[in-house]
Amino acid sequence: MTTTQGTEQGTEYDVVVAGAGPVGLFLAGELRLGGALRVLVVERLPEVDETIKAGWINHPSAVALNRRGLLPELAAVREAVQERLRAFQDLKDGDENNNGDRDGGGTNQRPRIAGHFAGIMLDPELFDASGPEWADADPAAGHGLLMPQAELERALGRWAERLGVEVRRGVELTGFTEEADGVAVQLDGRTVRAGWLVGCDGGRSTVRRLAGFAFPGTAPEITGYQALVELSGAERLKAGWNTTDVGTYVHGPFPGRILTVEFDSPPADRYAPVTAEELEASLRRVSGVPEVRVTGVRTATRFTDNARQATEYRRGRVLLAGDAAHVHSPFGGQGLNLGLGDALNLGWKLAAVVGGRAPESLLDTYTAERHPIGAWVLDWTRAQIALMRPDRHARALRRVVEDLAGSGAGTTYLVNRISGVWQRYDLPGSHPLTGASAPDLPLSDGTRLGEHLRTGRPLLLDLTGSPAPDTLTAPYADRLTVLTTTCPTRPTLRALLVRPDGFVAWAADTDGEEKADEDGLAAALERWVGRSGAGARALTRG
């Protein structure tokens, strides 16, 4: 590649994405599916970061990955994680057999859990999955999936590159200048030009700082550690989440994984290297097990409960997604999932603007739709911090929440919220499905709805069984998939318009008023698929 005066020639991009973590890579893939031709992802780290981070993807994230055909590729990783969980539980069962039966009855029943809230474990036997949230839910996604973040990042990297995304590692974004028709981005002293810049570069985002996004929130009060270590003298460490007079510690759910939380103050230097001595001291203080030793550190990180959110996710031609847009404590495993949702929401919209199929005002819906969910996640993590504090008031409140969580209604509420199945957008239209993630309907041809979203195109699902005249949809033939079939489980559902992100933009039932339904569909097509340039409104049924 030739260069002149520090500017790379012939390297104009539709979008530059700063950050090649899961969010940046997922966004880049979505941009390519949406028709953006030239997408560059830059990452300052030369390799995938192996630091232990998120280990769980929630239901919406799993659904999104499955709809892009990525879950089968991750099946082996999921099975390996499950095997590690089983091995750790066998180890702890053996320890408890040596130290007395857990239940005093000569049997060792493995604990069954459905997640946790502030370390309060939830019993899956109490969970009621019959609610409308789970009607026609994607069976492959379940309530969520255990998945190490590094493995997900590798899979998304392979997917993005298959789609034609250019990924440069070991390259740091050092600055940018926004212009009327684009952004000049400085990469290690050289400049590339792009129509748009998206910061997916983490909680200390350079893009957010240089663009001047406001980032208000609440200051940290805890010091937390999460690590994969070699341990000795750990026989008296209890498995799972444990609350003590000092704070909270976690042992497991696989060998060597520890987490501690102390409420004395935030760390003096959050980003200094974490030592074995530091981890050992914290684990001893919180667990009250003085003989435990950390003899080796494979990966370790500090965290706090610093909780902040950008007031807007777009300023001109610069946008934010993932931790660049919002930071919070890791409790509940919401951060990675929140970022993947950002990428899914933004990718197709930005691609439509890049391709001239939509006005820039479409990007205003990105902040409008994603900001409320981000604000909820911040408060969800703040509530868990409040319940984990070691003071008497917090412990009294925790006992109340433990009682509630031990009921069927309490478990069901918490699992539904943790899983993310409740998430929806406030979109125009009165149908119950409008604004919700599309149900994974079983179709009469043997497929399911989600299988028809692999291409990232909007989908009009006509469930009348007979094709309708295309006078309404013809202007969108180059960008809209129309599928005519039937659904045996939803005989009263007439049709759905599903956005590229899998959310329902319009829906109609068989008993609806036809003219009003057609007007609603016409408006939804123009709003979400693009300007048709045609005045045809009629959609009659044969």
Side-chain angles (χ1 to χ4, degrees):
M1 183 177 296
T2 59
T3 61
T4 303
Q5 296 181 346
T7 301
E8 297 189 5
Q9 302 301 310
T11 54
E12 292 199 359
Y13 294 92
D14 293 325
V15 183
V16 169
V17 177
V23 175
L25 293 169
F26 194 39
L27 173 63
E30 290 295 301
L31 286 165
R32 286 287 295 144
L33 282 180
L37 299 178
R38 300 157 300 177
V39 180
L40 171 65
V41 180
V42 295
E43 169 59 54
R44 65 178 180 82
L45 297 177
E47 303 290 343
V48 172
D49 186 1
E50 300 291 345
T51 303
I52 184 169
K53 295 180 181 177
W56 180 76
I57 54 176
N58 67 8
H59 179 77
S61 297
V63 167
L65 294 172
N66 199 33
R67 287 174 173 174
R68 297 302 186 247
L70 288 166
L71 281 193
E73 182 176 345
L74 294 166
V77 175
R78 293 164 54 195
E79 179 55 36
V81 171
Q82 292 293 335
E83 189 59 38
R84 293 172 69 194
L85 296 178
R86 288 189 287 267
F88 179 73
Q89 190 58 59
D90 288 341
L91 175 65
K92 296 309 292 183
D93 286 349
D95 289 343
E96 291 182 14
N97 277 329
N98 292 332
N99 293 298
D101 289 328
R102 178 183 315 169
D103 58 11
T107 61
N108 244 331
Q109 299 296 321
R110 292 189 179 188
R112 289 170 51 81
I113 61 172
H116 73 88
F117 182 72
I120 300 170
M121 308 314 293
L122 305 174
D123 184 350
E125 299 296 337
L126 297 174
F127 173 64
D128 181 2
S130 65
E133 304 92 337
W134 296 100
D136 291 313
D138 186 336
H143 300 157
L145 303 170
L146 290 169
M147 182 65 55
Q149 181 167 320
E151 295 300 330
L152 177 61
E153 183 175 324
R154 289 188 181 93
L156 289 173
R158 293 189 293 269
W159 176 67
E161 291 188 357
R162 288 197 300 269
L163 290 172
V165 174
E166 181 181 347
V167 180
R168 299 190 198 178
R169 289 190 170 273
V171 175
E172 186 168 6
L173 183 149
T174 55
F176 61 85
T177 303
E178 187 174 354
E179 301 168 349
D181 60 348
V183 186
V185 183
Q186 285 79 53
L187 304 175
D188 286 339
R190 299 194 181 278
T191 301
V192 299
R193 298 183 58 81
W196 300 84
L197 171 65
V198 186
C200 300
D201 50 342
R204 293 186 290 170
S205 171
T206 299
V207 173
R208 184 188 67 232
R209 175 176 55 83
L210 294 178
F213 285 87
F215 202 50
T218 51
E221 63 180 59
I222 71 169
T223 293
Y225 300 95
Q226 185 171 204
L228 284 175
V229 299
E230 302 295 334
L231 290 173
S232 66
E235 291 77 14
R236 290 206 298 128
L237 287 179
K238 296 179 180 178
W241 287 75
N242 302 277
T243 300
T244 73
D245 292 339
V246 176
T248 295
Y249 79 93
V250 182
H251 185 208
F254 43 80
R257 189 256 184 165
I258 61 170
L259 180 149
T260 65
V261 180
E262 298 182 76
F263 286 81
D264 49 356
S265 64
D269 184 355
R270 179 179 171 184
Y271 301 102
V274 180
T275 66
E277 292 76 16
E278 189 177 359
L279 292 169
E280 180 177 292
S282 180
L283 185 58
R284 287 181 173 184
R285 283 193 300 268
V286 179
S287 69
V289 179
E291 64 270 25
V292 67
R293 292 197 60 213
V294 175
T295 58
V297 180
R298 283 180 279 171
T299 172
T301 184
R302 291 184 195 84
F303 63 87
T304 73
D305 58 329
N306 180 40
R308 300 185 181 278
Q309 184 180 23
T311 54
E312 56 187 343
Y313 291 176
R314 176 197 171 198
R315 298 195 70 185
R317 288 182 171 266
V318 181
L319 301 106
L320 303 176
D323 289 350
H326 35 69
V327 295
H328 50 82
S329 76
F331 300 121
Q334 297 290 333
L336 170 62
N337 298 292
L338 184 58
L340 292 175
D342 292 345
L344 187 66
N345 187 283
L346 175 60
W348 67 274
K349 294 175 180 177
L350 184 53
V353 172
V354 166
R357 301 186 305 277
E360 287 189 19
S361 59
L362 179 63
L363 297 176
D364 295 336
T365 67
Y366 171 52
T367 297
E369 292 175 3
R370 294 303 300 172
H371 199 278
I373 295 178
W376 177 86
V377 167
L378 264 65
D379 278 347
W380 185 255
T381 61
R382 289 182 179 117
Q384 293 181 78
I385 291 293
L387 285 179
M388 294 168 68
R389 292 189 182 112
D391 64 86
R392 293 185 64 181
H393 291 83
R395 291 301 163 86
L397 179 60
R398 185 181 183 89
R399 287 191 288 272
V400 173
V401 175
E402 285 174 337
D403 285 344
L404 292 172
S407 67
T411 292
T412 300
Y413 169 80
L414 290 170
V415 171
N416 283 344
R417 302 303 278 185
I418 292 168
S419 72
V421 72
W422 59 273
Q423 295 179 12
R424 61 185 301 144
Y425 301 135
D426 184 14
L427 303 185
S430 59
H431 194 281
L433 288 176
T434 301
S437 180
D440 194 38
L441 301 175
L443 305 177
S444 57
D445 62 1
T447 65
R448 302 186 74 95
L449 184 149
E451 297 175 48
H452 299 278
L453 298 175
R454 297 279 168 86
T455 62
R457 287 164 59 100
L459 170 70
L460 179 60
L461 183 65
D462 184 342
L463 297 173
T464 63
S466 58
D470 63 358
T471 51
L472 188 64
T473 60
Y476 305 98
D478 63 333
R479 68 196 77 165
L480 175 68
T481 298
V482 180
L483 175 63
T484 300
T485 183
T486 59
C487 175
T489 63
R490 294 286 187 101
T492 62
L493 186 61
R494 176 184 171 191
L496 292 175
L497 176 63
V498 184
R499 303 191 320 187
D501 58 2
F503 282 77
V504 177
W506 168 88
D509 290 327
T510 54
D511 60 357
E513 200 282 311
E514 189 168 336
K515 179 60 167 63
D517 287 342
E518 290 172 357
D519 288 345
L521 175 57
L525 285 168
E526 184 165 342
R527 179 180 178 87
W528 302 115
V529 183
R531 295 190 182 95
S532 68
R537 306 277 287 182
L539 179 62
T540 58
R541 297 290 172 188

